[in-house]
Amino acid sequence: MQSRLTFCRTEYKDEQLEIVLEDLDISTFAVLPGHAYIRNITDIDIKAPAPGQANTAVGTLTRVYLQGLQIQLQEVSFYYKDKTASIGPAEFNGILEFTLPPQGVDVDIVIRTIPNSTAGLREREHRSGFLDIQRVDVKVSEDINLSVKESNHQILMSVFRPLMLTRLRDALETVLREQLRALLLAADAFAWDVSARADVFADTGLPRGASLVGGVWSELGHLRRT
């Protein structure tokens, strides 16, 4: 399955370089990976303080590992500045195309569901969410096909291309990692708000299923207004 994603502006800066990508159109982003590994561990903690009484806390740890995601970037306007350059130009701009080989991008995500114990419920309230995102790692293949269609230093571009390719790969890993983490946090915040709104509907006497549906529509309406 393939999707189409567009980001108007993507920036990456550190002590050594600055990269800006405009009109980042991921025109062929294959969602179906070459390999997917999903592991889920469920912890159940049962405490019985007295006969006939039992408190059960449930938490999960989930790892999602995807290999071989495909990305192709077309007609991307770029600005590249090497802050450590001592020979030749330090700033390049133009239009590039960026294609990953079949192995593409590897994504490794580890998420812990905060248990519904007394301490866990306090942690949920503190975070305003249900999830503890423990790891989001992205690895981009070193075998990258980078084509610079236009540049302000077209001839010198071929000389500095290997260095720029390495830096662009590192920047792409960082950008994708941050965007994935942001998507997970947004999904967790959405689920938390829906749960809070569902509790309000449940207080009116609605069953849990109807309360959740009402919570979803209420949150969607809130997002449209804001």
Side-chain angles (χ1 to χ4, degrees), residues 51-96:
Q53 297 181 1
N55 299 321
T56 304
V58 180
T60 62
L61 184 70
T62 303
R63 182 190 181 194
V64 179
Y65 183 47
L66 307 176
Q67 287 182 300
L69 295 175
Q70 295 294 298
I71 291 181
Q72 182 179 12
L73 311 180
Q74 295 181 337
E75 299 292 334
V76 178
S77 299
F78 75 92
Y79 169 78
Y80 174 87
K81 180 179 180 180
D82 188 345
K83 300 178 182 179
T84 64
S86 57
I87 300 176
E91 299 184 35
F92 296 88
N93 60 72
I95 298 177
L96 60 79

Side-chain angles (χ1 to χ4, degrees), residues 12 98 104-106 136-142 144 166-180:
Y12 174 81
F98 180 87
V105 180
D106 295 346
V136 178
D137 193 20
V138 176
K139 295 295 183 183
V140 176
S141 170
E142 296 182 1
I144 299 172
T166 300
R167 297 289 181 81
L168 182 62
R169 173 179 169 272
D170 293 341
L172 188 60
E173 285 182 346
T174 300
V175 169
L176 290 175
R177 183 165 57 246
E178 291 176 352
Q179 290 177 347
L180 282 174

Side-chain angles (χ1 to χ4, degrees), residues 107-210:
V107 176
D108 192 5
I109 299 173
V110 177
I111 299 174
R112 178 178 71 94
T113 302
I114 301 172
N116 58 338
S117 61
T118 301
L121 292 175
R122 286 198 299 265
E123 185 178 355
R124 289 182 181 183
E125 289 289 342
H126 177 70
R127 293 173 177 264
S128 295
F130 300 101
L131 303 178
D132 176 20
I133 302 172
Q134 298 189 342
R135 182 169 73 238
V136 178
D137 193 20
V138 176
K139 295 295 183 183
V140 176
S141 170
E142 296 182 1
D143 188 11
I144 299 172
N145 181 17
L146 176 66
S147 175
V148 179
K149 302 182 66 176
E150 297 179 17
S151 175
N152 59 331
H153 299 292
Q154 191 68 37
I155 297 177
L156 290 175
M157 192 69 222
S158 61
V159 177
F160 292 95
R161 182 178 177 276
L163 177 60
M164 181 180 176
L165 192 60
T166 300
R167 297 289 181 81
L168 182 62
R169 173 179 169 272
D170 293 341
L172 188 60
E173 285 182 346
T174 300
V175 169
L176 290 175
R177 183 165 57 246
E178 291 176 352
Q179 290 177 347
L180 282 174
R181 180 176 289 273
L183 287 173
L184 291 171
L185 289 173
D188 188 29
F190 180 84
W192 177 262
D193 289 343
V194 167
S195 177
R197 293 172 184 271
D199 288 342
V200 174
F201 284 105
D203 289 341
T204 66
L206 286 177
R208 186 59 180 170

Side-chain angles (χ1 to χ4, degrees), residues 198-222:
D199 288 342
V200 174
F201 284 105
D203 289 341
T204 66
L206 286 177
R208 186 59 180 170
S211 298
L212 285 173
V213 172
V216 170
W217 283 108
S218 177
E219 178 64 12
L220 290 175
H222 171 71

